[in-house]
Amino acid sequence: MARLDANKFNTPTPVQAGAIPPALEGRDVLATAQTGTGKTLSFLVPVVEMLQKTEGRGAHALVLLPTRELAMQVETAFRAIRTSPSQTSALVVGGLSEGAQLDAIRRGARLIVATPGRLEDFLKRKLVKLDQVRMLVLDEVDRMLDMGFQPAIARIAATLPTARQTLCYSATLEGAVQEVTRKYLNNPERIEIGSVLKPSANVELRTFEVAPDKKQELLEHLLDAEQGSFLVFVRTKHGADRVARRLSRSGWSATQIHGDRSQSQRNSALRSFSEGRHRVLVATDVAARGIDVAHVAHVVNYDLPKVPEDFVHRVGRTGRASARGVASTFAGPAERGDLKRIERALSIQMKRFRVRSADENAA
């Protein structure tokens, strides 16, 4: 409680209030909750409690996540609330040097926070043992499956003790996610926080009908007209570079994050955006899956997302906790049908604006 208090975690969010009590009783938990609801703490509190009560070196808890960025954030959060330096952790992710990761494991890390690819690689090479794991956390399961990690998760789970506790978090419970929950969870406590396929009520949804060659101009108009940080989603890596370059040339502090940038470039872009040194972060969907930045004032869908779930994930980066946020979606006249499909799938209605001409403000 003192560690939580020191980190200003005073009132539990609904997902924390729902998941922590059954998890502390040793029950399996299946939670559907949107990004920004406080789910990280809802599994880390039970992990810390369990580690306080168990002795010995080696991994007693394992958290699997889809991306490096998310894994790094979870490990940082764990270190902030752990109750003793003996509750050690190892970060096991691709894109960073193996040496430090293996050192932490050899020194007997009690918690492993990992992405499935790198952890499976260590298992194959017999560099890590998971036979003492008492608690498994699968976070953002739907994303892990989207990224093709189902076989890796299955092989990792096969090396764990069958008598263990499993906590599973997903934004949706469709298709393959149900199969995973059936396979790894035993009579779980079911927690559902809000609609999992609906943007938060704290976010004002706007859509602008704009010709493709006028999008950059509209983005700069919004940057002029509004306060705060902007997270801008584009479809391609090349598009992310182009939009960020043009913004920089026009005098805006912008940086970009996508799959072709090295891990250190991605970390540095994320850090400078979250610390306010860059006001605009331009991102592709895959790179943005691990982004967890507080206080994003405005999300811009510069390009329409491919599927409605991606819309929810993008928009969920603003209006977090109880803050207000704005999400603006740019769509050309030819994309009206795609826009309607997103609205229908999510049962939402966006405020519509039309950009009439280059020198006129949005209607």
Side-chain angles (χ1 to χ4, degrees), residues 191-209:
I191 292 137
E192 202 167 341
I193 304 301
S195 161
V196 291
L197 252 191
K198 215 179 174 76
S200 157
N202 295 338
V203 181
E204 182 190 337
L205 301 173
R206 309 169 177 172
T207 176
F208 293 84
E209 186 167 297

Side-chain angles (χ1 to χ4, degrees), residues 102-335:
L102 290 170
D103 276 353
I105 290 167
R106 285 190 200 107
R107 286 198 302 269
R110 312 281 315 282
L111 165 69
I112 291 178
V113 182
T115 50
R118 174 61 66 93
L119 182 60
E120 191 188 16
D121 175 48
F122 281 6
L123 279 168
K124 277 183 188 153
R125 289 155 58 196
K126 299 194 166 38
L127 297 172
V128 62
K129 286 173 89 166
L130 301 174
D131 55 353
Q132 295 186 84
V133 168
R134 299 175 55 164
M135 192 181 280
L136 167 67
V137 179
L138 300 169
D139 192 19
E140 301 217 1
V141 172
D142 50 331
R143 288 289 167 202
M144 288 200 280
L145 300 186
D146 280 352
M147 293 164 81
F149 284 135
Q150 191 164 0
I153 293 169
R155 288 190 285 267
I156 291 164
T159 69
L160 304 177
T162 45
R164 62 161 193 271
Q165 183 180 8
T166 305
L167 313 180
C168 183
Y169 295 78
S170 180
T172 65
L173 278 187
E174 290 160 3
V177 178
Q178 285 185 348
E179 197 183 312
V180 164
T181 59
R182 271 198 305 273
K183 207 165 163 185
Y184 304 124
L185 295 171
N186 177 26
N187 186 25
E189 176 81 13
R190 179 80 181 84
I191 292 137
E192 202 167 341
I193 304 301
S195 161
V196 291
L197 252 191
K198 215 179 174 76
S200 157
N202 295 338
V203 181
E204 182 190 337
L205 301 173
R206 309 169 177 172
T207 176
F208 293 84
E209 186 167 297
V210 56
D213 62 345
K214 297 286 182 237
K215 285 182 178 181
Q216 189 82 20
E217 215 171 305
L218 174 58
L219 175 57
E220 294 191 27
H221 166 73
L222 291 176
L223 280 162
D224 254 335
E226 314 251 338
Q227 302 288 309
S229 57
F230 273 59
L231 178 52
V232 179
F233 285 99
V234 293
R235 199 168 285 151
T236 64
K237 302 167 196 174
H238 174 65
D241 284 333
R242 193 176 60 240
V243 171
R245 239 190 344 260
R246 283 186 188 166
L247 286 173
S248 299
R249 277 206 300 269
S250 302
W252 303 102
S253 55
T255 184
Q256 69 270 44
I257 181 169
H258 56 66
D260 276 355
R261 303 203 85 196
S262 72
Q263 188 58 37
S264 65
Q265 286 174 318
R266 285 157 74 162
N267 292 350
S268 151
L270 211 48
R271 201 176 311 112
S272 69
F273 179 63
S274 62
E275 290 170 1
R277 290 197 303 280
H278 283 100
R279 184 183 173 201
V280 187
L281 178 63
V282 186
T284 55
D285 282 304
V286 170
R289 277 174 189 164
I291 294 177
D292 186 3
V293 176
H295 320 306
V296 174
H298 205 130
V299 166
V300 174
N301 293 309
Y302 192 91
D303 296 323
L304 277 185
K306 290 192 182 78
V307 292
E309 286 90 335
D310 281 342
F311 183 90
V312 176
H313 268 268
R314 289 174 174 197
V315 169
R317 308 296 166 189
T318 184
R320 297 168 73 96
S322 56
R324 307 291 303 165
V326 176
S328 296
T329 299
F330 297 177
E335 294 176 306

Side-chain angles (χ1 to χ4, degrees), residues 16-28:
Q16 290 161 5
I20 291 172
L24 292 179
E25 288 166 13
R27 290 199 55 190
D28 285 4

